[in-house]
Amino acid sequence: MTAVPRNQQAPLRTARYTLFYLCLTAIAVVFVAPYVLAIFGALKPASQVLSSSPWSPPTRLYLGNFRAILSGDDFWRYLGNTAAITVVLTAGQVTFGVLAAYAFARLQFPGRDRLFLVYLATLMVPNVVTLVPLYTMMRQFHLANTYWAIFLPYVLGVPYTIFLMRQYFMSLPSEIFAAARVDGCSEWRILTRILLPMGRPIIITATLIAFVFGWNNFLWPLIVTDTTSKQVLTVSIAALQSSFGEQWNLVLAASLVALIPLLVIFAVFQKHIVRSIQLSGVNR
Amino acid sequence: MHLTDLRHPRPTRETPRPPSAPSRPARLRHLLTAAPFVLPSLAGVVLFLLVPVVIVLVLSFFRWNFLQSPQWVGFSNFVTMTRDDHVFHALLVTAYYVLWNIPLQTAIALGLAVLLNRRMPALGLFRALYVLPYMSTPVAMAVVWSWMFNGQTGLINHLLLLVGIHGPDWLGNAQTALPAVAMVSNWQYAGYNMLFFLAGMQTIPPALYEAASIDGASAFRRFTRITLPLLSPTMLFVLVTDVIGSFQIFDTVYVMTQGGPGSATNVINYQIYSTGFRNFDVGSASAMSLLLFGVILTITFIQFRFFRNRTTYEVS
């Protein structure tokens, strides 16, 4: 490299930095624009959505679309259904998942490793393969079109998060567990006093995975519910879209309501989410 | 999903076993201690994963509409499936979708990772913004994108008009509907995949790049000769999970096109849904599910073979 005097190099570097960040910002615009435009659209009256360009911000704060969506009981019911089902699904999946992961990582029992291989093998089964039989089972047990049917298949723990947590629990120093056993701690006490505090990061990860899955779940609730009283938010938004096709102002407002909880969670747990996605991919 | 573990189980760090095999009462005690921990999830795995796989196999040999008593038809569902143009067409549409989705999405993810793989201020913020779509409800984002792809009022055509192009009715046109749906997935998952590549790149020792620079290797050469080969485990993970996910696309298609126009976006998962839950042809839907299962397993197997035959350089 030819030596460039310092005073000439500095502006060059500044220019390159500016270009670099401009590039990053342009890409960020592509990723964020749909949200911003949806907010713009949801805050405009129907006539303005059709007449103005999508990127022009609303001239005044118009809340009529949100009022229209939220005024009836129905939308609140869907929101309530989704929230309740997601909470139950998450609580069960994490609780039973932690128990299983602890057993596979830290307990001795006959057939343990073979049983774990069975859990791993089920990761190969695509979701759609189980839908027809699951629906058949739910009908057979008179559970079709109930809240139970929506969360039951996922509430007892799923192999994927059990696998993630087991890997993490196995990486914890075994001396602590051995010492606790020598001191006469019961397995339950070890679980609540040692494992839960030490395994916090991965348990938060499992909680986030379960929550996002429950909140976003669409195909299974679509299949297993057929009355509006049991409908969840995603199914109702899809129905709204097909019946109010061209009333974008309303459909956008409804979609935003569904997105808000996830956006809040993302804002709060952003660093954790990024770290945990990388953890789940690389920790192989 | 952690498919690599199925084929190459890493020796796990075991809690030390007692030197001699435990006696019978001890084994029983171990089982009783473990039972309350394992039984709930075991019930879930058996009832909601293993039993359904058996049921779907059984159902594929019957004609049934959920109401009348099932009728044994032997292999007839599979035979009609091979003759049925719908199923073959749906598989083709799915393959076409995967081709629009996976290469571009992976390339974007890789490009973003290269951009962000450095130590500079505020990169964490950009990384978060790129991942944001991954967290968002697919149904809700499909609604937003339907609006943006709308022929008259949509953003895309408004932008095109600025440069004097009259864009098509993207989702109403058989040529453009499928690529449009695939673009939504690319937007949604590129940032997510970027995270895996970023994590993979951070494990590559900087000394390799320094040595290559000293030898006069260009940035492009350093990328193709160092970064890409050393990323191949990450690449395998990303490709396997993405292809499996891509073959099962449903939510976006359901909201944006309902399989249309005509059957232009009638992907296999949508075909299974409408066969089973709109036409109530349970036997055919089960047979198609098994077909999809088989296709996914085959492609996963091929990907493993492909990556195993290439040299990867162990760096420790």
Side-chain angles (χ1 to χ4, degrees), chain A residues 1 31 47 50 59-60 74 101 114 129 134 144 148 165 171 182 193 200 203 210 231 235 261-262 267 271 273 282:
Chain A
M1 228 170 136
F31 282 106
S47 58
L50 295 176
T59 43
R60 65 189 181 83
D74 283 353
R114 237 167 299 159
V129 172
L134 276 181
W148 285 91
M165 290 195 280
S171 71
V182 168
R193 296 297 167 85
R200 233 181 77 125
I203 294 170
Q231 221 169 61
V235 177
L262 293 181
K271 283 223 174 76
I273 290 164
V282 176

Side-chain angles (χ1 to χ4, degrees), chain A residues 21 24 30 35 100 108 112 119 123-124 127-128 133 136-137 156 163 216 219 223 248 262 277-278 280 284, chain B residues 1-3 10 14-15 30 41-42 47 52 121 130 133 135-137 187 195-196 237 248 269 277 292:
Chain A
Y21 280 104
L24 291 187
V30 176
Y35 302 91
Q108 288 291 335
R112 182 190 70 178
Y119 276 47
L123 287 178
M124 303 285 282
N127 190 26
V128 64
T136 314
M137 287 163 71
L156 291 176
F163 169 79
N216 291 346
L219 179 52
I223 290 170
W248 294 112
L262 293 181
I277 294 173
Q278 293 186 327
S280 65
R284 283 172 294 157
Chain B
M1 287 223 266
H2 295 267
L3 301 152
R10 204 177 252 189
E14 306 262 348
T15 28
H30 287 322
S41 72
L42 183 61
L47 275 177
Y130 300 168
M135 282 281 290
S136 306
T137 313
W187 172 81
L195 289 181
F196 297 118
F237 172 80
Q248 296 186 71
N269 224 358
F277 300 101
L292 177 66

Side-chain angles (χ1 to χ4, degrees), chain A residues 17 20-21 23-25 27-28 30-32 34-35 37-38 41 49-50 52-55 96 99-100 102-104 106-110 112-113 115 118-139 152-153 156 159-160 162-164 166 170-172 187-188 191 212 215-216 218-219 222-223 234 237-238 241 246 248 251-252 255 258-259 262-263 265-266 270 273-274 277-278 280-282 284, chain B residues 1-6 10 12-17 27 30-31 33-34 36-38 40-45 47-53 55-56 59 64 66-67 112 115-116 118 120-121 123-124 126-141 143-148 150 153-155 158-159 162 187 190 192 195-196 198-199 233-234 237 248 250-251 254-255 269 272-273 277 282 285-286 289 292-293 296-297:
Chain A
Y17 272 34
F20 176 70
Y21 280 104
C23 186
L24 291 187
T25 310
I27 298 168
V30 176
F31 282 106
V32 176
Y35 302 91
L37 296 177
V49 172
L50 295 176
S52 65
S53 53
W55 56 79
F96 298 127
L99 292 181
Y102 175 64
F104 283 121
R106 290 285 165 208
L107 292 183
Q108 288 291 335
F109 60 93
R112 182 190 70 178
D113 296 338
L115 187 63
V118 173
Y119 276 47
L120 280 184
T122 60
L123 287 178
M124 303 285 282
V125 180
N127 190 26
V128 64
V129 172
T130 62
L131 292 183
V132 172
L134 276 181
Y135 179 67
T136 314
M137 287 163 71
M138 293 301 169
R139 279 180 66 99
L152 212 47
L156 291 176
Y160 177 61
I162 292 173
F163 169 79
L164 280 187
R166 170 190 179 259
M170 294 204 346
S171 71
L172 300 175
E187 296 301 339
W188 291 103
L191 183 94
V212 172
W215 192 270
N216 291 346
F218 174 64
L219 179 52
L222 175 73
I223 290 170
T234 47
I237 287 173
Q241 153 89 347
E246 292 298 294
W248 294 112
V251 224
L252 289 174
S255 300
L259 286 173
L262 293 181
L263 293 179
I265 288 179
F266 187 77
Q270 179 257 109
I273 290 164
V274 167
I277 294 173
Q278 293 186 327
S280 65
V282 176
R284 283 172 294 157
Chain B
M1 287 223 266
H2 295 267
L3 301 152
T4 40
D5 283 78
L6 296 181
R10 204 177 252 189
T12 48
R13 212 200 306 171
E14 306 262 348
T15 28
R17 282 176 191 281
R27 281 166 65 96
H30 287 322
L31 261 186
T33 318
F37 291 89
V38 179
S41 72
L42 183 61
V45 166
L47 275 177
F48 303 123
L49 283 165
L50 296 179
V51 168
V53 171
I55 294 181
V56 84
L59 285 178
W64 191 35
F66 288 121
L67 296 170
L112 292 177
L115 270 180
L116 291 188
R118 57 198 80 205
M120 278 165 78
L123 294 193
F126 287 103
R127 194 179 55 190
L129 290 177
Y130 300 168
V131 182
L132 179 63
Y134 164 71
M135 282 281 290
S136 306
T137 313
V139 169
M141 288 330 293
V143 167
V144 175
W145 277 96
S146 301
W147 173 54
M148 304 213 303
N150 185 277
T153 55
L155 170 86
H158 264 93
L159 287 176
L162 289 183
W187 172 81
Y192 171 67
L195 289 181
F196 297 118
L198 260 179
T234 314
F237 172 80
Q248 296 186 71
F250 181 83
D251 298 10
Y254 183 94
V255 173
N269 224 358
I272 293 172
Y273 165 77
F277 300 101
V282 181
S286 302
S289 308
L292 177 66
F293 195 0
I296 289 178
L297 280 184

